[in-house]
Amino acid sequence: MFYADDSQIYLTMGPRNRNVSISNIEDCISHIIGWYSNNFLLCNSATIKVIYFSSKFINKDPIPSINIGVNTIKLESATCDLGVVLDNHLDMSRQVNNICKSASLAIHNIGKIRNYLDQPTAEKLIHAFVTSTIDFCYSLLFGLPKKQLDKLQCILNAAARITTKTKKCQHISPVLRKLYWLPLTKRIEIRF
């Protein structure tokens, strides 16, 4: 038996044709499951995830669930797609928080052994475990509010401090220049 992984269906739905759109997506998924079955592929209905993206500024009735055959699938408030957490308002706050959490843990672990490392080795570890996490899917961070970007800049500053053994009381800009690291907003603009 083969498995079909990561099939995705996107549907645009307007406020007037909402019920028709929900019916269309249910029919489409049922047809896909039937096609899988006819071609000796298995679709695990328990792993189907549905998310409805909408503006947080427009008050709409939520879609409670989608019916696929005998299964009722509740809508997710967030889902992970190719390593990026997308929430139902696409404000990227969960993605930024996940990046901060992962990078902070890496900085903490590198900080534990920093006294035993020379600077080039520490810099390689920081690039492998911290800046690579921050750099992943940069284009999605373009245009985010300053509040979100400041969280990531703090992580980048902490990584620079660990790399160079700079104290918290010292200004970070000269340290970033010495490492040839751009501020976060410039990094995003260059890669966008």
Side-chain angles (χ1 to χ4, degrees):
M1 187 69 58
F2 292 101
Y3 292 89
D5 289 340
D6 296 330
S7 298
Q8 297 182 6
I9 301 169
Y10 299 92
L11 178 72
T12 304
M13 112 177 27
R16 294 187 193 114
N17 64 352
R18 192 168 139 163
N19 292 333
V20 173
S21 297
I22 292 171
S23 177
N24 286 343
I25 197 82
E26 290 171 348
D27 290 343
C28 185
I29 294 172
S30 295
H31 281 58
I32 290 171
I33 291 171
W35 185 88
Y36 285 164
S37 179
N38 291 339
N39 290 284
F40 307 104
L41 296 169
L42 182 64
C43 181
N44 185 356
S45 298
T47 62
I48 294 175
K49 293 184 180 179
V50 179
I51 187 166
Y52 176 63
F53 298 111
S54 65
S55 173
K56 62 182 170 184
F57 302 110
I58 298 173
N59 192 9
K60 293 183 181 178
D61 294 331
I63 298 171
S65 61
I66 301 284
N67 297 314
I68 311 293
V70 296
N71 296 325
T72 300
I73 300 169
K74 294 189 185 252
L75 271 67
E76 304 279 332
S77 61
T79 187
C80 188
D81 188 19
L82 299 174
V84 176
V85 179
L86 301 172
D87 57 34
N88 56 353
H89 297 303
L90 291 175
D91 65 4
M92 301 304 289
S93 60
R94 291 189 189 191
Q95 174 66 12
V96 170
N97 290 340
N98 281 357
I99 291 171
C100 291
K101 183 178 177 182
S102 175
S104 294
L105 179 63
I107 289 170
H108 176 74
N109 289 337
I110 293 168
K112 287 181 180 180
I113 60 169
R114 178 59 183 100
N115 290 333
Y116 305 107
L117 304 172
D118 59 350
Q119 184 167 332
T121 305
E123 192 169 352
K124 287 177 187 171
L125 284 174
I126 290 292
H127 284 307
F129 296 107
V130 179
T131 57
S132 64
T133 303
I134 295 172
D135 290 345
F136 181 69
C137 290
Y138 251 132
S139 59
L140 297 175
L141 303 177
F142 185 79
L144 284 182
K146 186 177 181 324
K147 179 181 175 181
Q148 298 285 30
L149 296 178
D150 285 347
K151 290 180 186 179
L152 296 171
Q153 184 63 53
C154 286
I155 296 294
L156 199 61
N157 294 349
R161 289 184 195 285
I162 289 288
T163 302
T164 60
K165 293 185 175 179
T166 303
K167 295 180 181 176
K168 288 185 180 181
C169 60
Q170 293 177 303
H171 201 283
I172 196 66
S173 294
V175 176
L176 293 173
R177 277 194 295 276
K178 181 180 172 187
L179 291 170
Y180 298 103
W181 292 6
L182 291 172
L184 186 75
T185 53
K186 296 294 182 191
R187 291 168 76 109
I188 293 171
E189 287 173 14
I190 286 174
R191 291 202 168 99
F192 187 72

